[in-house]
Amino acid sequence: MIELTHSPIDTNRLLQAVSDPECGGQVLFLGTTRQFTQHPDRDQPVETDHLHYEAYEEMAIEQLTALELQAMKQWPVKKVAIVHRLGRVDPSESSVGVAVSSPHRSEAFFAAKWLIDTLKHEVPIWKQEHYVQDGAEWIHPTSGSCHCDDAGKKQPVENSAIENDPNLSNAGQAGSKSHLISDAKLEAVDSSDPHCDPQA
Amino acid sequence: MSVTQIQVSVLLFARAAEIAGARQLSITIQDGSTIAQVADKLVNLHPSLDSLVGVSRWALKNATKKNEFVDAQHPITDADEIAMIPPVSGG
């Protein structure tokens, strides 16, 4: 299911669209409007009143459909649903929803991340930030300013907290470390995506 | 030898549409021109588009081809519809 809509995103519909008896995992990502955002030309975060989205609609639909097919080719995912809002979106409302189902959870997580990262770099949709204080501005990001790999750049410092927490470390058992290593490898593969500058 | 002129349509979005005050411009240009030459014409018409033109991508559509990204050296033909795609910010 691929849609551009002027209405609020119905998450139940998204999840229903990817429901599949062969799937043991569904991942739903929602991109939501932040109230405060860092502005490149200002010291303090600016407060957003609302966002306004526009798209080259026919091309956006074609590209989202191509991304859906590509994700299903790249991972054993069964179904993909992507909905993007157009027009006004208020703080804490969702501007985009990506849902993926797969027989096992790992592929659904990876496909969903790839889909939202690639959407943000490739699909002809633009946002205009309307600020509480003054004015409005179309956002045209400069290369290298993306956040696709933010989490991958950070060492999982929380692990020590997990290991020191008797409840969590017992649950993790000996397997937890090897999981972290394999996750890091997968993340490294993912960050080689040519759309993203891993140094950004 | 006479030079054939062709007409193409350029779609503008977001900040580019705001600068030009239009979502679509019709541009007459010499047959055999490239996207880059259309871009130059755009900047001549609206000099404030210059910096955005420099970072934009271009998509082309015509009777035989669906929208697809093409590079600046791509030749254009009569009745092509060209979309100027400034850096996107969906999501």
Side-chain angles (χ1 to χ4, degrees):
Chain A
M1 179 178 95
I2 301 292
E3 267 182 26
L4 300 174
T5 177
H6 284 82
S7 308
I9 291 173
D10 181 343
T11 50
N12 285 331
R13 244 186 97 234
L14 267 174
L15 290 172
Q16 275 163 18
V18 298
S19 171
D20 189 295
E22 289 180 29
C23 291
Q26 293 186 346
V27 166
L28 171 64
F29 170 81
L30 296 174
T32 52
T33 302
R34 266 189 305 276
Q35 186 176 7
F36 291 94
T37 193
Q38 204 63 48
H39 190 283
D41 304 330
R42 306 186 198 195
D43 296 334
Q44 299 294 319
V46 288
E47 186 173 2
T48 298
D49 183 72
H50 67 274
L51 301 178
H52 177 90
Y53 285 90
E54 75 168 41
Y56 182 10
E57 295 189 32
E58 59 176 61
M59 187 175 181
I61 292 283
E62 286 168 13
Q63 292 223 314
L64 289 170
T65 305
L67 293 188
E68 174 184 11
L69 296 175
Q70 180 67 33
M72 292 174 77
K73 215 156 91 178
Q74 202 164 332
W75 292 279
V77 302
K78 294 292 286 187
K79 286 178 181 161
V80 168
I82 306 174
V83 177
H84 202 297
R85 289 278 294 274
L86 297 177
R88 179 182 172 125
V89 181
D90 286 334
S92 79
E93 281 188 39
S94 299
S95 52
V96 61
V98 175
V100 179
S101 60
S102 58
H104 301 281
R105 69 186 181 282
S106 175
E107 292 87 353
F109 275 110
F110 272 90
K113 174 166 165 46
W114 178 82
L115 283 164
I116 184 62
D117 288 351
T118 311
L119 179 159
K120 287 177 81 92
H121 283 271
E122 295 293 318
V123 179
I125 301 173
W126 298 270
K127 69 161 80 72
Q128 188 183 37
E129 293 180 349
H130 289 251
Y131 304 117
V132 170
Q133 299 299 326
D134 54 341
E137 205 173 297
W138 284 105
I139 305 302
H140 295 299
T142 50
S143 64
S145 64
C146 83
H147 298 283
C148 293
D149 194 34
D150 278 5
K153 283 182 293 189
K154 289 184 182 132
Q155 291 304 312
V157 286
E158 299 83 4
N159 293 339
S160 55
I162 292 170
E163 280 159 16
N164 292 334
D165 183 320
N167 297 320
L168 295 173
S169 62
N170 285 346
Q173 289 293 345
S176 64
K177 282 210 166 168
S178 58
H179 271 103
L180 290 170
I181 291 165
S182 70
D183 285 354
K185 277 183 189 155
L186 287 167
E187 185 60 52
V189 170
D190 194 53
S191 69
S192 67
D193 184 336
H195 306 313
C196 299
D197 176 359
Q199 304 306 317
Chain B
M1 195 175 83
S2 70
V3 177
T4 311
Q5 299 286 314
I6 59 170
Q7 199 162 47
V8 295
S9 169
V10 181
L11 305 181
L12 301 173
F13 299 95
R15 176 90 180 112
E18 191 175 75
I19 290 171
R23 300 200 156 268
Q24 182 162 11
L25 294 173
S26 187
I27 292 201
T28 304
I29 198 163
Q30 216 171 298
D31 195 11
S33 297
T34 62
I35 295 267
Q37 286 163 311
V38 173
D40 287 344
K41 278 240 170 187
L42 274 182
V43 176
N44 282 341
L45 282 170
H46 299 284
S48 309
L49 280 177
D50 191 22
S51 59
L52 207 49
V53 160
V55 294
S56 289
R57 295 198 285 172
W58 304 89
L60 195 137
K61 183 177 86 161
N62 56 35
T64 59
K65 198 189 239 180
K66 279 209 303 188
N67 280 299
E68 60 182 53
F69 286 118
V70 292
D71 66 41
Q73 297 317 311
H74 193 90
I76 50 162
T77 53
D78 195 32
D80 275 354
E81 191 173 83
I82 299 160
M84 174 180 166
I85 310 287
V88 299
S89 54

